[in-house]
Amino acid sequence: MSRAAAQRRLILPLDVDTVRAADGWVRRLADEVGLFKIGKQLFMHAGPDAVRRVHAKGGEVFLDLKFHDIPQTVALAGVEAVRLGVKMFNVHASGGAEMMRTTTAAVADVCKRERLRRPIMLAVTVLTSLSDADLRRVGVAATAARQVVRLARLAKANGMDGVVASPREVGAIRRACGPEFVIVTPGIRQAGDAVGDQKRIETPEAAMRAGADYLVVGRPIRDAADPVAAARAVVTAMARGLAAR
């Protein structure tokens, strides 16, 4: 698999508090990554304009707001994500079957009526910051590994295109949900990187070899002395993993 193919699968989070900082990262790394992830911090600061600014510079956006509410509310939020032109957005799988089913139907309808591009719709399974013990504290008896697969199957059955899950569960999701199901994987660290608040981590090469489709890599790139070189090193590792499948 070529480096170009691997590069298209690398997602950089714009976890910054100003549009000026976000603009700087997009200018610096637009030729090194496939998408920019806009999460709650930047979206609360700049709103939809944060997405439009990335698009204006030729970048693609993964809108990472993890919608989780009653079905109609999430469906309407999904419609607005479509109208923003994002390539991906996500909801929480734990919002349930009806929430996901209503959202996918609303997205299909607006794409048809308004001739808009259909985004990749993802369901968040179990956050990579959560351990088995953390799940038990909120009343989930299953291990993280089992809960992830359960939620991935629920997401697929209700029209979602894929899931967000840690690299530790990629292989099990792939076996449960098939080759076309999209798996976006955070919790990526190169050997020697600081772990931070992630608990279920893996290297870029191992995550891609296991079957991940996209990797979200933030601090190992942004905190590097040379972020461009760091991004290229991640892409090289991803390409090795893809080639080993």
Side-chain angles (χ1 to χ4, degrees), residues 58-208:
E60 291 276 18
V61 171
F62 168 20
L63 186 63
D64 178 27
L65 298 182
K66 300 181 179 72
F67 301 136
H68 190 172
D69 212 309
I70 63 173
Q72 187 68 3
T73 296
V74 172
L76 293 174
V79 165
E80 295 308 320
V82 171
R83 288 174 173 154
L84 269 177
V86 302
K87 183 171 182 177
M88 299 175 176
F89 74 88
N90 57 11
V91 307
H92 265 291
S94 55
E98 184 182 353
M99 187 197 79
M100 291 187 282
R101 190 167 57 249
T102 302
T103 301
T104 57
V107 165
D109 180 64
V110 75
C111 288
K112 182 178 180 180
R113 284 189 291 105
E114 301 181 15
R115 297 183 180 181
L116 299 172
R117 178 179 69 167
R118 184 186 184 282
I120 297 170
M121 289 180 283
L122 303 167
V124 177
T125 53
V126 176
L127 298 173
T128 54
S129 60
L130 297 178
S131 65
D132 292 348
D134 294 323
L135 290 180
R136 287 194 296 272
R137 291 187 189 102
V138 296
V140 177
T143 63
R146 289 187 177 182
Q147 182 70 356
V148 164
V149 174
R150 178 183 293 130
L151 291 173
R153 286 186 171 128
L154 183 69
K156 183 179 180 182
N158 288 281
M160 303 301 290
D161 300 303
V163 292
V164 180
S166 99
R168 298 291 178 86
E169 291 93 40
V170 167
I173 294 169
R174 186 62 69 212
R175 290 189 295 274
C177 297
E180 303 303 319
F181 199 61
V182 177
I183 305 174
V184 176
T185 305
I188 300 299
R189 295 291 186 269
Q190 295 273 45
D193 286 342
V195 172
D197 55 5
Q198 304 286 357
K199 294 182 180 176
R200 306 194 317 280
I201 65 171
E202 194 49 271
T203 65
E205 181 175 350
M208 297 307 291

